Amino acid sequence: MTPASDLAALAALLADETRAAMCLALLDGRAWTARELAAHAGVAPSTATAHLHRLVEGRLLVERRQGRHRYVQLAGPSVAQLLEDLSARIEPRPTTPRGLRAATASAALSRGRTCYDHLAGRLGVAVTDAMTARGLLDQSGGFALTPAGGAWLTDVLGWDPAEPRPGHRPLVRGCLDWTERRHHLGGLAGAKLCETFFGNGWVTRIGSGRAVRLTPSGRAALRNHLGITLD
Amino acid sequence: MTPASDLAALAALLADETRAAMCLALLDGRAWTARELAAHAGVAPSTATAHLHRLVEGRLLVERRQGRHRYVQLAGPSVAQLLEDLSARIEPRPTTPRGLRAATASAALSRGRTCYDHLAGRLGVAVTDAMTARGLLDQSGGFALTPAGGAWLTDVLGWDPAEPRPGHRPLVRGCLDWTERRHHLGGLAGAKLCETFFGNGWVTRIGSGRAVRLTPSGRAALRNHLGITLD
DNA sequence: GCGATCGTTCGGTGCCGGCCGAACGATCGC
DNA sequence: GCGATCGTTCGGCCGGCACCGAACGATCGC
């Protein structure tokens, strides 16, 4: 009814630890089944059903029914961006992983991961920095693509950012990285770039999570196109 | 403890209508006393005390005690930005104001208002559009200040954006306007510009809210510096 | 000093909502 | 078809928390 109650209703969707865990899991950009999310969050399937209903009703998630499965995913980049913005506000965690498994998993996440549909972690930041150093991105007054950057994207991705694009998702956007505390490249261009990294086999997912690994051909590509050497 | 519980705890701060109303009121960028906020939200002073404690504890608000008064305000631009981002996600309201008072008040807000520390509403968007049309801002690939824009700021504000600045607040930033559904100029430059508008008497506040009115000298200034005519 | 005002603490009340288990329809694989 | 799996609905339990009023300390104006 009032703006305040609207804001409260939106915030209430994320104000429960179970729902928050579900949304954060969905930040990998993929569609999960209800049962997977229930197991991930550690609640009974009946409880998960209620939560997912609320999240879909609140337009944070969209669902796609397929046979006896109910797949659910984030409603779009703007939701992912909102979750990332909120996460970035949280004080940097003292990083005390329990054991070896947790330690290697968190190290892998710091090295490289996806942030919904673009690259993040040290890999994402390194790519962004190299693009800035080469004059492809301009971070001096905001976060913008230069003309040279447009040409570079056309060259590397075979995609011309100048061609008319649907929706009003920004072409580029600085997305605050919660491990590096610096910006990496988001927006439509970031998504296209990430798509190419996967399509060309430059990165592969590690297991089933958000962590990614740079392949040897990816290392070569970074050297060729950006002149940087990683790891 | 876990990222999910952190996110839930942050969201829970805004998940209550009373706290949401308090935060939205504080979006005017000024400091309010506890009692003012209690009256605004329609709760007893004792209730307001508890809410303000939670908001300060959660670092969304900062307090400054002065005599027997306790002034409270938003913890910074990043909090304001977060609130604006959340508000922008809320579906556009059918705008059915109750009576004449409400109608004129909401019309005034649409015409021009402050968005924490910069200009918003039709006024804010018009200034942003004019700056873009004159090549001072570049919105083609992101949201960035051009070299000509830097010179213009130095000329109009007497403030050189190239000089080293403290903190890591972005120089310019596109802030989604919740009445116009388009971007207006935020960030440090937006704040400086707004400061100049007030300092030169180009705009004045209407009553005690966020609404602002363009003065005759402000109209002249817009014509001189940006070549636009409003209202 | 004294009354008025601001903010706080404390006890008590009531409700919202998260959780589970059990039972049930829908779909899949064989 | 038949059992197994996925998701849902329903009832019931329980804890958290938003709210108020009353009483109290602190500060201001006179």
Short mmCIF file of all heavy atoms in Angstrom, two decimals, chain A residues 142-170:
data_model
loop_
_atom_site.label_atom_id
_atom_site.label_comp_id
_atom_site.label_asym_id
_atom_site.label_seq_id
_atom_site.Cartn_x
_atom_site.Cartn_y
_atom_site.Cartn_z
N GLY A 142 33.36 7.15 -13.70
CA GLY A 142 32.27 6.19 -13.90
C GLY A 142 32.82 4.88 -14.42
O GLY A 142 33.97 4.54 -14.19
N PHE A 143 32.01 4.14 -15.13
CA PHE A 143 32.41 2.82 -15.61
C PHE A 143 31.84 2.70 -17.01
O PHE A 143 30.65 2.46 -17.17
CB PHE A 143 31.84 1.74 -14.70
CG PHE A 143 32.64 0.49 -14.62
CD1 PHE A 143 33.55 0.29 -13.60
CD2 PHE A 143 32.49 -0.50 -15.59
CE1 PHE A 143 34.29 -0.88 -13.53
CE2 PHE A 143 33.24 -1.67 -15.52
CZ PHE A 143 34.14 -1.86 -14.49
N ALA A 144 32.67 2.92 -18.03
CA ALA A 144 32.14 2.98 -19.38
C ALA A 144 33.05 2.29 -20.38
O ALA A 144 34.26 2.15 -20.16
CB ALA A 144 31.95 4.44 -19.81
N LEU A 145 32.44 1.86 -21.47
CA LEU A 145 33.17 1.23 -22.57
C LEU A 145 33.68 2.33 -23.50
O LEU A 145 32.94 3.23 -23.88
CB LEU A 145 32.20 0.31 -23.33
CG LEU A 145 32.78 -0.69 -24.31
CD1 LEU A 145 33.62 -1.71 -23.56
CD2 LEU A 145 31.65 -1.37 -25.06
N THR A 146 34.96 2.25 -23.89
CA THR A 146 35.50 3.23 -24.83
C THR A 146 35.23 2.74 -26.25
O THR A 146 34.90 1.57 -26.45
CB THR A 146 37.01 3.39 -24.63
OG1 THR A 146 37.64 2.15 -24.96
CG2 THR A 146 37.34 3.75 -23.20
N PRO A 147 35.39 3.62 -27.25
CA PRO A 147 35.26 3.17 -28.65
C PRO A 147 36.19 2.00 -28.95
O PRO A 147 35.80 1.03 -29.59
CB PRO A 147 35.64 4.41 -29.45
CG PRO A 147 35.28 5.56 -28.54
CD PRO A 147 35.55 5.07 -27.15
N ALA A 148 37.44 2.09 -28.45
CA ALA A 148 38.38 0.99 -28.65
C ALA A 148 37.85 -0.29 -28.01
O ALA A 148 38.02 -1.39 -28.53
CB ALA A 148 39.74 1.34 -28.06
N GLY A 149 37.18 -0.13 -26.88
CA GLY A 149 36.60 -1.29 -26.20
C GLY A 149 35.51 -1.93 -27.04
O GLY A 149 35.40 -3.16 -27.09
N GLY A 150 34.72 -1.11 -27.69
CA GLY A 150 33.67 -1.63 -28.56
C GLY A 150 34.26 -2.46 -29.70
O GLY A 150 33.78 -3.55 -30.01
N ALA A 151 35.33 -1.92 -30.30
CA ALA A 151 35.99 -2.63 -31.40
C ALA A 151 36.58 -3.95 -30.90
O ALA A 151 36.52 -4.98 -31.58
CB ALA A 151 37.08 -1.75 -32.00
N TRP A 152 37.16 -3.90 -29.71
CA TRP A 152 37.78 -5.10 -29.13
C TRP A 152 36.72 -6.19 -28.92
O TRP A 152 36.94 -7.36 -29.24
CB TRP A 152 38.46 -4.73 -27.82
CG TRP A 152 39.21 -5.84 -27.16
CD1 TRP A 152 40.51 -6.21 -27.42
CD2 TRP A 152 38.74 -6.70 -26.13
NE1 TRP A 152 40.86 -7.26 -26.62
CE2 TRP A 152 39.80 -7.60 -25.81
CE3 TRP A 152 37.54 -6.83 -25.43
CZ2 TRP A 152 39.69 -8.58 -24.83
CZ3 TRP A 152 37.42 -7.81 -24.46
CH2 TRP A 152 38.47 -8.68 -24.17
N LEU A 153 35.57 -5.80 -28.41
CA LEU A 153 34.51 -6.79 -28.19
C LEU A 153 34.07 -7.42 -29.51
O LEU A 153 33.87 -8.62 -29.61
CB LEU A 153 33.31 -6.13 -27.51
CG LEU A 153 33.44 -5.83 -26.01
CD1 LEU A 153 32.18 -5.16 -25.48
CD2 LEU A 153 33.70 -7.12 -25.24
N THR A 154 33.93 -6.57 -30.53
CA THR A 154 33.55 -7.09 -31.84
C THR A 154 34.58 -8.09 -32.34
O THR A 154 34.25 -9.15 -32.89
CB THR A 154 33.43 -5.93 -32.84
OG1 THR A 154 32.54 -4.95 -32.31
CG2 THR A 154 32.88 -6.42 -34.17
N ASP A 155 35.84 -7.76 -32.12
CA ASP A 155 36.93 -8.62 -32.56
C ASP A 155 36.95 -9.94 -31.81
O ASP A 155 36.95 -11.02 -32.39
CB ASP A 155 38.26 -7.88 -32.37
CG ASP A 155 39.45 -8.76 -32.74
OD1 ASP A 155 39.29 -9.59 -33.65
OD2 ASP A 155 40.51 -8.61 -32.10
N VAL A 156 36.91 -9.87 -30.48
CA VAL A 156 37.09 -11.07 -29.66
C VAL A 156 35.82 -11.91 -29.58
O VAL A 156 35.86 -13.14 -29.63
CB VAL A 156 37.56 -10.68 -28.24
CG1 VAL A 156 37.66 -11.91 -27.35
CG2 VAL A 156 38.90 -9.96 -28.31
N LEU A 157 34.67 -11.24 -29.43
CA LEU A 157 33.43 -11.99 -29.24
C LEU A 157 32.63 -12.17 -30.52
O LEU A 157 31.70 -12.98 -30.56
CB LEU A 157 32.52 -11.26 -28.23
CG LEU A 157 33.14 -10.79 -26.91
CD1 LEU A 157 32.06 -10.21 -26.03
CD2 LEU A 157 33.84 -11.94 -26.22
N GLY A 158 32.98 -11.39 -31.54
CA GLY A 158 32.15 -11.41 -32.73
C GLY A 158 30.79 -10.80 -32.45
O GLY A 158 29.80 -11.17 -33.05
N TRP A 159 30.77 -9.85 -31.53
CA TRP A 159 29.50 -9.24 -31.14
C TRP A 159 29.69 -7.73 -31.08
O TRP A 159 30.59 -7.25 -30.38
CB TRP A 159 29.06 -9.77 -29.78
CG TRP A 159 27.90 -9.04 -29.18
CD1 TRP A 159 26.61 -9.08 -29.60
CD2 TRP A 159 27.93 -8.16 -28.06
NE1 TRP A 159 25.83 -8.27 -28.81
CE2 TRP A 159 26.61 -7.70 -27.85
CE3 TRP A 159 28.93 -7.70 -27.21
CZ2 TRP A 159 26.27 -6.82 -26.84
CZ3 TRP A 159 28.61 -6.82 -26.19
CH2 TRP A 159 27.27 -6.40 -26.02
N ASP A 160 28.89 -6.99 -31.81
CA ASP A 160 29.04 -5.55 -31.87
C ASP A 160 28.13 -4.89 -30.85
O ASP A 160 26.91 -4.91 -30.99
CB ASP A 160 28.69 -5.07 -33.28
CG ASP A 160 28.86 -3.57 -33.40
OD1 ASP A 160 29.35 -2.95 -32.44
OD2 ASP A 160 28.49 -3.02 -34.46
N PRO A 161 28.71 -4.29 -29.82
CA PRO A 161 27.89 -3.67 -28.76
C PRO A 161 27.10 -2.47 -29.26
O PRO A 161 26.20 -1.99 -28.56
CB PRO A 161 28.92 -3.27 -27.71
CG PRO A 161 30.20 -3.16 -28.44
CD PRO A 161 30.14 -4.14 -29.56
N ALA A 162 27.43 -1.96 -30.46
CA ALA A 162 26.72 -0.79 -30.95
C ALA A 162 25.37 -1.15 -31.56
O ALA A 162 24.49 -0.31 -31.68
CB ALA A 162 27.57 -0.06 -31.99
N GLU A 163 25.21 -2.42 -31.91
CA GLU A 163 23.94 -2.80 -32.53
C GLU A 163 22.82 -2.70 -31.50
O GLU A 163 23.03 -2.88 -30.30
CB GLU A 163 24.02 -4.21 -33.10
CG GLU A 163 24.05 -5.32 -32.08
CD GLU A 163 24.37 -6.67 -32.74
OE1 GLU A 163 24.81 -6.67 -33.91
OE2 GLU A 163 24.18 -7.69 -32.08
N PRO A 164 21.62 -2.36 -31.98
CA PRO A 164 20.51 -2.13 -31.05
C PRO A 164 20.25 -3.35 -30.18
O PRO A 164 20.31 -4.49 -30.65
CB PRO A 164 19.32 -1.88 -31.99
CG PRO A 164 19.75 -2.42 -33.32
CD PRO A 164 21.22 -2.24 -33.37
N ARG A 165 20.03 -3.11 -28.91
CA ARG A 165 19.85 -4.23 -27.98
C ARG A 165 18.51 -4.10 -27.29
O ARG A 165 18.04 -3.02 -26.99
CB ARG A 165 21.00 -4.25 -26.98
CG ARG A 165 21.26 -2.91 -26.34
CD ARG A 165 22.69 -2.83 -25.82
NE ARG A 165 23.17 -1.47 -25.79
CZ ARG A 165 23.14 -0.69 -24.71
NH1 ARG A 165 22.65 -1.13 -23.60
NH2 ARG A 165 23.61 0.54 -24.77
N PRO A 166 17.92 -5.24 -27.02
CA PRO A 166 16.61 -5.24 -26.38
C PRO A 166 16.72 -4.93 -24.89
O PRO A 166 17.79 -5.07 -24.32
CB PRO A 166 16.14 -6.69 -26.58
CG PRO A 166 17.42 -7.47 -26.58
CD PRO A 166 18.46 -6.59 -27.20
N GLY A 167 15.61 -4.54 -24.27
CA GLY A 167 15.62 -4.27 -22.83
C GLY A 167 16.46 -3.06 -22.53
O GLY A 167 17.04 -2.44 -23.41
N HIS A 168 16.55 -2.70 -21.24
CA HIS A 168 17.40 -1.57 -20.90
C HIS A 168 18.49 -1.99 -19.93
O HIS A 168 18.84 -1.25 -19.03
CB HIS A 168 16.61 -0.39 -20.36
CG HIS A 168 15.19 -0.72 -20.01
ND1 HIS A 168 14.85 -1.88 -19.38
CD2 HIS A 168 14.05 -0.04 -20.21
CE1 HIS A 168 13.54 -1.90 -19.22
NE2 HIS A 168 13.03 -0.80 -19.72
N ARG A 169 18.99 -3.20 -20.10
CA ARG A 169 20.12 -3.58 -19.25
C ARG A 169 21.33 -2.79 -19.69
O ARG A 169 21.64 -2.72 -20.88
CB ARG A 169 20.40 -5.08 -19.42
CG ARG A 169 21.50 -5.55 -18.50
CD ARG A 169 21.73 -7.04 -18.56
NE ARG A 169 22.70 -7.44 -17.57
CZ ARG A 169 23.23 -8.65 -17.50
NH1 ARG A 169 22.85 -9.57 -18.36
NH2 ARG A 169 24.10 -8.93 -16.57
N PRO A 170 22.06 -2.18 -18.74
CA PRO A 170 23.23 -1.38 -19.14
C PRO A 170 24.27 -2.25 -19.83
O PRO A 170 24.44 -3.42 -19.51
CB PRO A 170 23.76 -0.81 -17.82
CG PRO A 170 23.06 -1.55 -16.74
CD PRO A 170 21.81 -2.12 -17.31
#
